[in-house]
Amino acid sequence: MQKGPRLFFFFFDVRFRHLQVEPGWRKRHVLCSMELVAGCYEQVLFGFTVHPKPEVCGDHEQWTPVADFTHHAHTASLSAVAVNSRFVVTGSKDETIHIYDMKKKIEHGALVHHSGTITCLKFYGNRHLISGAEDGLICIWDAKKWECLKSIKAHKGHVTFLSIHPSGKLALSVGTDKTLRTWNLIEGRSAFIKNIKQNAHIVEWSPRGEQYVVIIQNKIDIYQLDTASISGTITNEKRISAVKFLSESVLAVAGDEEVIRFFDCDSLVCLCEFKAHENRVKAMFSFEIPEHHVIVTASSDGFIKMWKLKQNKKVRPSLLCEVNTNARLTCLGVWLDTVPDTKASLPPAAELSPVSKEQSKIGKKEPGDTVHKEEKQSKPNTKKCGLTGDSKKATQESSLVSTKKRKTVEVLEKKRKKKKMKTMQ
């Protein structure tokens, strides 16, 4: 991993002191800062600290965003952003992934394994990052050591989107080869491949992982996990640019228009629609904190807006705050230092070691709708794959430690036998 310089900006610590929290909530969460982060075509990453306020303006609560930083790390437009409880990572058309440590307030480094535009970035808890790019690769990264654990040749064309199942055991990806692919993250291999006859550009699991949606242009196909078949289809008026599940059955949909719509995935009915921006909506992000379910939107008009969702999704959400970046926004995230570490890592069997020749072979196939011959995983370029530390040295050190322990045990065992013999005499 390439180390980067310290960031030339300051962070402000904001606390949700005014929020009424339920008993026991403080034990499960650490109340700290909230930061809006957004990337744009102009190669800049924006950061805004948000100050929630207890005052209300009429019936509407008002929050205050404060400009925190702008950082020009990439040499091309930003295409993806992901956050966990410590790091923010950004992907770009310059083929690199940049890492920002939000605790230490520094740029942590860069990952340069891919050879195409980074199209999607997803964290699973605080231990793993999964990236996809136009080179057709999906890479699994150790988010502690920033080692490339697995590099998979996932699609014959570009990887356009990926989504991780809430369990961390499965992932879905779509690409420009007109396929929907299911990945076994326990073993780091393909499970099955489904031909969908068109190029999908978004795939998303529901919160409980019982269903998922596949987006093709302005069409939303809803699949049930137990049957792997389409249970319904929703058609939006314009091409869809972002979707976000607000609950197991309610889906927020944004596209090449100013309007955001909430759809019921069971009845396929539009519950609510409202004008969110003056131009097309490019990205959405949602999160929950006590007494607040928030959806954040970013648009080509340069605005980032935060909305408070009502319990009844048929009611239009209320605007909490907005900020104008004067840039053409492309991606969005919210760094919350209040997120509990319930997803520390992928399941134990998925604790993969760094990529090797042996691991570059995909395992046996599992039954699926349409199974094709699986491609071999790419052999990683060790010069390009950003790794920290010397894995050989680490192996030698652990081997030395094991030898020392073994010798100590042998000496103690000999002493114990001698003592026993003396006692018998």
Side-chain angles (χ1 to χ4, degrees), residues 222-239:
I222 303 164
Y223 288 78
Q224 299 303 315
L225 177 62
D226 54 355
T227 62
S229 60
I230 298 174
S231 61
T233 299
I234 296 169
T235 303
N236 195 49
E237 290 187 14
K238 298 286 182 72
R239 184 183 186 275

Side-chain angles (χ1 to χ4, degrees), residues 32-237:
C32 280
S33 57
M34 174 163 58
E35 193 91 15
L36 292 177
V37 288
C40 64
Y41 282 111
E42 290 79 10
Q43 307 170 13
V44 174
L45 178 68
F46 294 95
F48 296 91
T49 303
V50 179
H51 299 265
K53 290 187 176 181
E55 310 93 48
V56 294
C57 181
D59 294 330
H60 300 294
E61 184 178 355
Q62 294 291 314
W63 291 4
T64 306
V66 176
D68 193 1
F69 68 87
T70 56
H71 189 57
H72 194 162
H74 291 281
T75 57
S77 61
L78 276 73
S79 52
V81 64
V83 298
N84 69 5
S85 64
R86 176 155 190 169
F87 295 102
V88 169
V89 293
T90 57
S92 167
K93 288 187 175 181
D94 65 9
E95 305 178 356
T96 66
I97 301 168
H98 282 254
I99 310 161
Y100 307 91
D101 189 326
M102 301 296 277
K103 299 278 191 180
K104 295 182 178 179
K105 295 91 176 177
I106 59 170
E107 182 176 357
H108 191 70
L111 307 174
V112 288
H113 183 69
H114 288 286
S115 58
T117 296
I118 310 300
T119 54
C120 41
L121 294 167
K122 299 287 181 180
F123 274 110
Y124 185 80
N126 293 323
R127 189 60 193 270
H128 292 94
L129 171 70
I130 301 183
S131 61
E134 288 186 355
D135 56 8
L137 295 181
I138 287 178
C139 295
I140 302 173
W141 303 88
D142 183 327
K144 297 290 185 183
K145 299 178 181 179
W146 296 109
E147 291 178 338
C148 183
L149 301 177
K150 199 81 172 178
S151 182
I152 306 167
K153 181 60 179 175
H155 288 268
K156 292 178 181 178
H158 303 165
V159 177
T160 52
F161 211 88
L162 63 87
S163 182
I164 305 170
H165 189 270
S167 68
K169 296 178 181 180
L170 296 174
L172 294 170
S173 68
V174 289
T176 55
D177 55 2
K178 301 180 181 180
T179 62
L180 166 66
R181 305 194 180 213
T182 305
W183 301 96
N184 181 338
L185 295 181
I186 300 293
E187 300 176 15
R189 63 177 179 83
S190 175
F192 65 85
I193 304 168
K194 180 180 177 66
N195 283 319
I196 52 178
K197 299 179 181 179
Q198 290 178 282
N199 289 328
H201 60 283
I202 300 174
V203 62
E204 191 76 28
W205 285 103
S206 65
R208 292 203 300 264
E210 295 175 1
Q211 59 185 346
Y212 54 93
V213 293
V214 177
I215 315 300
I216 302 171
Q217 295 299 325
N218 66 328
K219 187 180 70 170
I220 305 166
D221 287 329
I222 303 164
Y223 288 78
Q224 299 303 315
L225 177 62
D226 54 355
T227 62
S229 60
I230 298 174
S231 61
T233 299
I234 296 169
T235 303
N236 195 49
E237 290 187 14

Side-chain angles (χ1 to χ4, degrees), residues 276-413:
H277 292 271
E278 297 300 323
N279 207 327
R280 60 181 177 173
V281 180
K282 292 290 289 182
M284 292 191 295
F285 190 95
S286 70
F287 63 92
E288 291 185 64
I289 54 177
E291 297 186 3
H292 292 75
H293 188 179
V294 180
I295 187 168
V296 189
T297 59
S299 169
S300 296
D301 62 11
F303 277 88
I304 304 171
K305 297 185 180 184
M306 302 185 78
W307 310 82
K308 182 179 180 180
L309 296 167
K310 308 298 182 182
Q311 192 168 5
N312 183 358
K313 298 302 183 292
K314 292 182 179 180
V315 180
R316 183 184 189 275
S318 57
L319 184 64
L320 290 169
C321 65
E322 62 179 20
V323 61
N324 189 5
T325 63
N326 294 307
R328 295 172 296 163
L329 300 175
T330 57
C331 50
L332 173 71
V334 180
W335 179 70
L336 286 170
D337 205 13
T338 59
V339 179
D341 189 10
T342 55
K343 297 178 183 176
S345 64
L346 293 173
E351 295 294 338
L352 308 168
S353 57
V355 278
S356 64
K357 289 181 181 179
E358 288 75 23
Q359 289 175 322
S360 66
K361 295 178 181 178
I362 296 180
K364 295 178 182 177
K365 299 168 189 161
E366 292 181 5
D369 291 319
T370 307
V371 181
H372 297 278
K373 187 177 180 181
E374 296 167 359
E375 300 85 354
K376 288 186 178 180
Q377 294 169 6
S378 66
K379 183 179 177 181
N381 184 339
T382 52
K383 291 183 180 179
K384 291 185 72 180
C385 186
L387 307 178
T388 53
D390 188 338
S391 59
K392 288 184 179 178
K393 186 179 177 182
T395 306
Q396 289 171 358
E397 286 176 356
S398 61
S399 179
L400 287 171
V401 171
S402 300
T403 305
K404 286 178 182 178
K405 283 184 178 179
R406 189 168 60 251
K407 286 181 178 178
T408 304
V409 170
E410 287 174 357
V411 170
L412 290 171
E413 187 66 22

